[in-house]
Amino acid sequence: MSQKNTMGFIRWLTPSFLFGQLHAIDQERRIDGLSPEEEARERIRVWQIIGLACLCLLLVHYGKYSSNLTSLVKWFSEFTSDPAVYRAYYHYEYRELLGYIWWGSINLLGFLIIPMLAIRYWFKDSLNEYGWQWGEVHHHWRGYVLLASPIMVFAVIASFGDDFSRHYPFYNQAHRSWFDLISWEMIYILQFVAVEFFFRGYLVNGLKRQFGSLSIAVMCLPYLMLHFPKLWPESFGAILFGFFLGVLALMSRSIWGGVMVHVSIALMMDFAALVQTKGFPTHW
């Protein structure tokens, strides 16, 4: 690595650089000097953004479980008076995968589709203003590398532990065939796109003109709670992880750097766990 690149990485590790970026974000606030009527509209916008976020979080938290799909199939079977429908579903070879398709679909609905529809048709804003663009990700690649690298190293080390290897991949049949593994990873990647858009796109960008850099703090609370069902080190790391991703999202004006970080870490964790346990599939 050249001396210039080394100095670039070191700069990212200094508190003065980080706080300087937060100050720059605060300078972009557009609420100062507004009339009382305009300030009232901005306050209403905050309630709208947070209120919708609450409903989306509620939908995802209670709707994502595969038991809801099972109940829906059972209801349909009873409604049509055809018990064979439920029996076929219950004994289906890919029933667990269907459960994760349901899980991923609910994540896409609550974290991506509903917020996008609200942005375009309720708030009348451009999706680009909420990070749905490449922006300046390439100018801040060092920050993303610094964020992802230590976590990926930790994932490799942690993969030797029983708790880690039992927890990942979430889909228990991912090792059965390449179809299972690829299908699972596609679902996993798409829900990361949804998660990044909701937290670093919709919430952070939606609140930045009212709250400035404090929009990152608002986002970090529900983002931490999203990780509570996971292993405690991952939940603990979500605090700083969410904070730095929020800063980078506002600096780069894009969610896609965060998506790439999430996907690279997730694939590393799944693959490391597979190597330590059941191995990769041997057939399609």
Side-chain angles (χ1 to χ4, degrees):
M1 183 182 295
S2 68
Q3 183 177 1
K4 181 180 179 180
N5 283 335
T6 301
M7 294 303 296
F9 276 107
I10 293 175
R11 183 187 64 160
W12 273 91
L13 298 174
T14 60
S16 60
F17 176 77
L18 178 62
F19 288 117
Q21 296 305 312
L22 294 177
H23 178 71
I25 292 168
D26 288 332
Q27 294 303 304
E28 294 183 8
R29 292 179 64 201
R30 294 180 291 178
I31 199 169
D32 295 333
L34 298 181
S35 67
E37 293 78 12
E38 290 172 327
E39 288 184 5
R41 283 197 295 270
E42 291 295 333
R43 285 195 295 271
I44 292 173
R45 171 62 67 88
V46 170
W47 281 106
Q48 290 171 335
I49 290 171
I50 294 179
L52 182 63
C54 290
L55 293 177
C56 289
L57 286 165
L58 196 68
L59 167 66
V60 172
H61 180 74
Y62 290 101
K64 65 185 177 183
Y65 298 106
S66 60
S67 58
N68 292 314
L69 174 61
T70 301
S71 298
L72 182 63
V73 173
K74 187 176 182 179
W75 171 85
F76 182 78
S77 181
E78 293 173 350
F79 179 77
T80 58
S81 301
D82 187 1
V85 173
Y86 182 72
R87 283 200 303 269
Y89 165 77
Y90 188 81
H91 295 289
Y92 186 48
E93 180 182 6
Y94 295 102
R95 181 162 64 92
E96 185 184 358
L97 184 61
L98 284 179
Y100 278 112
I101 292 174
W102 173 271
W103 169 78
S105 299
I106 295 297
N107 274 277
L108 283 173
L109 177 63
F111 287 156
L112 185 73
I113 296 173
I114 292 177
M116 277 188 166
L117 291 175
I119 291 167
R120 291 292 290 117
Y121 299 107
W122 188 17
F123 306 147
K124 308 294 184 181
D125 289 337
S126 168
L127 293 175
N128 288 348
E129 296 179 23
Y130 291 75
W132 194 253
Q133 60 178 349
W134 179 253
E136 300 179 355
V137 172
H138 54 290
H139 292 313
H140 305 291
W141 65 270
R142 294 181 182 87
Y144 291 109
V145 170
L146 280 172
L147 191 60
S149 297
I151 301 176
M152 295 177 73
V153 172
F154 168 78
V156 173
I157 297 172
S159 67
F160 290 92
D162 291 338
D163 286 344
F164 184 95
S165 58
R166 284 196 300 264
H167 199 72
Y168 298 100
F170 295 155
Y171 177 40
N172 293 321
Q173 301 300 321
H175 68 286
R176 181 171 56 183
S177 69
W178 283 107
F179 171 78
D180 285 281
L181 181 58
I182 293 172
S183 297
W184 158 245
E185 298 301 348
M186 288 178 63
I187 297 167
Y188 206 22
I189 289 170
L190 285 174
Q191 69 87 34
F192 278 128
V193 174
V195 167
E196 276 303 304
F197 181 77
F198 183 79
F199 289 97
R200 259 68 67 177
Y202 175 73
L203 278 178
V204 168
N205 285 283
L207 297 173
K208 71 176 181 180
R209 71 183 184 187
Q210 296 91 359
F211 294 164
S213 63
L214 291 178
S215 64
I216 300 171
V218 174
M219 172 273 296
C220 283
L221 288 173
Y223 185 66
L224 166 63
M225 297 175 72
L226 185 72
H227 290 74
F228 280 168
K230 299 185 179 182
L231 300 174
W232 75 263
E234 190 172 349
S235 296
F236 180 79
I239 302 171
L240 289 176
F241 192 66
F243 169 74
F244 284 113
L245 279 180
V247 174
L248 284 165
L250 290 183
M251 289 173 60
S252 64
R253 306 180 189 278
S254 173
I255 67 164
W256 292 107
V259 170
M260 290 189 294
V261 167
H262 254 127
V263 170
S264 62
I265 292 172
L267 293 178
M268 174 65 74
M269 294 169 79
D270 277 3
F271 294 167
L274 283 173
V275 168
Q276 298 297 334
T277 54
K278 301 172 183 177
F280 286 97
T282 57
H283 64 278
W284 286 100

